[in-house]
Amino acid sequence: MRIVLVGPPGAGKGTQAAFLAKNLSIPHISTGDLFRANISQGTELGVRAKAFMDAGELVPDEITIGMAKDRMEQPDAAGGFLLDGFPRNVAQAEALDEMLTGAGMKLDAVLDLEVEEDEVVKRIAGRRICRRDSAHVFHVIYAAPKVEGVCDKCEGELYQRDDDSEATVRNRLEVYHTQTEPIIDYYKSQGLLVTISALGEVHEITKRAMDALKK
Ligand code: AMP
């Protein structure tokens, strides 16, 4: 299956993507994680992306689209993938369509995680990520690790992302409304959109998502 996950920052895309990708046996491709990996490795791409990320802005399409395309062309993604955080604007959605059409492929579904804005701000403020594996996500209140600051799964150090500060979160939400939300209509008109509520326990949301995808 080829799936796109959309939803505002803090909707739980990363958390759900990790579970869904495992259930569906497809790779989880997160452009945010790819940028963060480039930043920690000190690559030129990482250096170029960091300033945009720290400001809560989108990294320019000419950097993002090529990086996403390279990742989707890796052998493990030949049978399908779950995209998390890409596309984030209509130009990226069009580039993805073009790339898939060129390869004789198409998307199967676009899963939209719906959540209110107040909830999003609460979730992001308490979010903590594992330095070793950014698919291990915790929350100081909703999903607290057994030992503060330590990942339950691999004992990596937990940290707060630089772009999870309140001012940056507000800008990321603004960017989501103005630039990313238009892709919801874009996919709705293609009949691909599946919307579910992202409220509730993590495993309930995963089940809701799996049920919706089966339909
Ligand atoms: P995420 O981990 O998905 O929340 O992404 C973190 C940050 O990485 C975003 O706020 C953007 O600055 C950047 N980013 C991730 N994916 C994209 C994308 N598809 N287009 C542009 N910027 C992106």
Side-chain angles (χ1 to χ4, degrees), residues 30-33 35-36 52-53 56-59 64 84-88 92 161 163 172:
S30 154
T31 39
D33 284 352
F35 284 131
R36 282 184 286 278
F52 295 99
M53 292 174 74
E57 298 291 335
L58 294 188
V59 178
T64 307
D84 158 16
F86 181 88
R88 249 181 167 94
Q92 292 179 9
R161 278 168 44 174
D163 60 346
R172 284 164 63 203

Side-chain angles (χ1 to χ4, degrees), residues 105-165:
M105 298 170 184
K106 61 177 184 56
L107 288 176
D108 295 294
V110 175
L111 186 68
D112 175 25
L113 297 183
E114 218 173 36
V115 56
E116 285 160 22
E117 198 147 320
D118 284 354
E119 177 66 20
V120 155
V121 174
K122 265 195 268 171
R123 286 186 187 189
I124 294 186
R127 175 157 72 182
R128 299 292 182 272
I129 317 252
C130 175
R131 274 202 199 280
R132 281 196 202 149
D133 184 341
S134 54
H136 301 164
V137 184
F138 296 82
H139 189 282
V140 290
I141 298 164
Y142 304 135
K146 291 194 191 91
V147 179
E148 197 185 320
V150 180
C151 178
D152 286 354
K153 293 179 182 149
C154 70
E155 299 187 347
E157 181 201 357
L158 299 182
Y159 77 109
Q160 182 171 35
R161 278 168 44 174
D162 289 347
D163 60 346
D164 276 353
S165 71

Side-chain angles (χ1 to χ4, degrees), residues 13-57:
K13 291 192 299 297
T15 304
Q16 290 305 326
F19 286 115
L20 293 171
K22 199 169 168 218
N23 285 351
L24 297 164
S25 305
I26 48 178
H28 166 199
I29 300 182
S30 154
T31 39
D33 284 352
L34 292 173
F35 284 131
R36 282 184 286 278
N38 273 279
I39 291 171
S40 61
Q41 289 156 17
T43 68
E44 194 193 322
L45 190 151
V47 171
R48 288 171 71 197
K50 189 171 187 333
F52 295 99
M53 292 174 74
D54 286 349
E57 298 291 335

